[in-house]
Amino acid sequence: GLPAVKILRAYVSAIVEAGGAPILIPPDLSEDGWRSLLDRLDGILFSGGADIGLEHFDGESHPTVVVESVRDAIELPLLRAAVDENKPFLGICRGLQVMNVALGGSLYTHILDQLPNALQHDWKDKPRDTLAHPIRVEEGTRLMEILGVSELQVNSLHHQGIKDLARNLKISAFAPDGLVEGIELPGHKFALAIQWHPEWMTSRQEMRNL
């Protein structure tokens, strides 16, 4: 097909259902361009997608890695700017990994080979709302406040995950194998990211809350 800048409808529909007006940020904007947008937006959603370039976190090479370097170039500095300017943002899947890497953390580049006793986290061959595993939500976190439950079943569509947590971040949820499923930045207006995809499960109240 012809070149296109696109995002899956599930993100758009979820934002609309929540009362927002979604604006797509093209990844090839100049810094002046995205900074002028940042001033106008109420918040930013860092969506799912392919992998972050290994050079951004000294990652271990793996044959499964598929990099989206055009997105890296805008998303890493955009997230750091959102942190500096106290601009609300939510990261989903790749968005959680962008948040951790942008703030100095690292990733497993293929969980099944690098995390001992790992669960299957890459359920891309199943329907996107397939419940893959439970997560435990940590007490006293913003995520717990939003979801209102300490345990829930989530979908899972990723092969990478957090290895070393960025220094200022707080873990808000874990999978049973110990993998980080939620992170947040204390003291920020709203800086939160999760490893699952709530936009595919908006029939559930806690996902709509998020």
Side-chain angles (χ1 to χ4, degrees):
L2 295 170
V5 177
K6 59 187 179 181
I7 191 164
L8 294 179
R9 177 169 288 280
Y11 296 110
V12 174
S13 299
I15 291 170
V16 170
E17 280 174 38
I23 304 291
L24 187 147
I25 303 174
D28 43 8
L29 274 185
S30 67
E31 182 172 345
D32 286 349
W34 63 252
R35 283 195 179 277
S36 68
L37 257 187
L38 184 62
D39 294 340
R40 295 176 169 88
L41 298 174
D42 297 315
I44 302 169
L45 170 66
F46 291 90
S47 65
D51 302 324
I52 299 166
L54 305 183
E55 68 277 10
H56 296 293
F57 58 96
D58 195 23
E60 187 181 327
S61 183
H62 196 278
T64 58
V65 171
V66 179
V67 170
E68 280 195 295
S69 51
V70 178
R71 286 185 59 181
D72 295 347
I74 184 172
E75 289 178 356
L76 296 166
L78 179 56
L79 189 138
R80 287 189 284 260
V83 166
D84 292 344
E85 296 179 28
N86 207 23
K87 178 71 68 174
F89 67 89
L90 172 65
I92 293 177
C93 198
R94 172 188 158 95
L96 169 138
Q97 297 164 15
V98 166
M99 181 173 175
N100 188 52
V101 168
L103 301 179
S106 71
L107 305 175
Y108 295 114
T109 53
H110 193 65
I111 293 163
L112 279 180
D113 286 351
Q114 294 162 14
L115 175 65
N117 305 312
L119 292 174
Q120 171 72 18
H121 287 274
D122 186 357
W123 287 57
K124 291 196 172 86
D125 298 335
K126 299 271 200 259
R128 284 180 166 251
D129 59 355
T130 301
L131 298 177
H133 59 75
I135 59 162
R136 186 182 82 248
V137 185
E138 298 291 281
E139 294 288 339
T141 58
R142 187 72 182 270
L143 186 62
M144 169 68 98
E145 193 184 302
I146 292 165
L147 296 175
V149 292
S150 58
E151 188 165 303
L152 75 163
Q153 293 282 334
V154 297
N155 57 1
S156 193
L157 297 158
H158 63 105
H159 79 113
Q160 300 195 341
I162 291 179
K163 184 180 179 187
D164 301 305
L165 188 70
R167 193 167 49 88
N168 297 330
L169 296 180
K170 176 178 179 177
I171 297 172
S172 57
F174 287 99
D177 58 5
L179 193 75
V180 175
E181 288 278 336
I183 55 177
E184 49 195 64
L185 181 61
H188 190 282
K189 190 184 287 181
F190 191 97
L192 189 146
I194 47 155
Q195 189 60 83
W196 74 94
H197 282 267
E199 76 279 9
W200 288 100
M201 298 190 288
T202 54
S203 61
R204 292 167 57 182
Q205 184 60 52
E206 59 271 353
M207 300 305 176
R208 287 202 300 279
N209 292 351
L210 189 53

